[in-house]
Amino acid sequence: ETLRELLPYAVPPTLTTRVLAVLALVLTLLSKSATLAAPFALKRAVDIIANAPPSSAAAATAAAAVAGASATTSALAASIAAYAALRLASAAFSQARAVAFKLVALVTSRRLSADTFLHLHALGAPFHAARESGAGSLVRVMDR
């Protein structure tokens, strides 16, 4: 019964908050995807270093060694840059998701609080007189 009463609060009331909720979900997926992809970029960089041809003059001519080293260096730099970009994207998407979801959570919390406040005001005086809450207990504490 309680879950049935709280279920309408799970769906954002306005189009703006619905868009923010979907945006938060998309940002979560992007953050997780970047987190999963980052180790593969690092693996590629390590593989490039491990498979780099030796720089001996006997192995190849000087021109071929320079061209191979240049290609290896640029591939290594690209892999390291991709790793750094993916780590940065993961953190950025995570922070953006937190902001988007916080806005949705605030709207939902405000709505639930207002409905609870209205419900408490709609209850009769006998209900409130029988409860140990609010100003009555505060006055007793201050008298002590």
Side-chain angles (χ1 to χ4, degrees), residues 88-113:
L88 180 67
S90 173
F93 288 143
S94 180
Q95 293 299 316
R97 179 207 51 87
V99 169
F101 187 73
K102 187 67 170 178
L103 295 173
V104 174
L106 284 173
V107 168
T108 303
S109 175
R110 188 178 312 134
R111 197 169 127 217
L112 183 61
S113 296

Side-chain angles (χ1 to χ4, degrees), residues 32-58:
K32 296 303 178 185
S33 297
T35 301
L36 287 173
F40 291 106
L42 186 61
K43 176 196 176 297
R44 185 166 185 262
V46 170
D47 288 347
I48 290 170
I49 293 170
N51 295 331
S55 300
S56 66

Side-chain angles (χ1 to χ4, degrees), residues 21-88:
V22 170
L23 179 65
L25 180 63
V26 168
L27 288 170
T28 299
L29 293 175
L30 288 173
S31 173
K32 296 303 178 185
S33 297
T35 301
L36 287 173
F40 291 106
L42 186 61
K43 176 196 176 297
R44 185 166 185 262
V46 170
D47 288 347
I48 290 170
I49 293 170
N51 295 331
S55 300
S56 66
T61 63
V66 168
S70 175
T72 302
T73 303
S74 62
L76 178 61
S79 294
I80 292 172
Y83 173 74
L86 286 168
R87 292 291 305 228
L88 180 67

Side-chain angles (χ1 to χ4, degrees), residues 123-144:
L123 295 174
F127 173 82
H128 292 292
R131 298 282 184 248
E132 284 281 333
S133 63
S137 25
L138 180 62
V139 169
R140 272 186 252 115
V141 168
M142 288 174 63
D143 283 343
R144 292 182 192 166

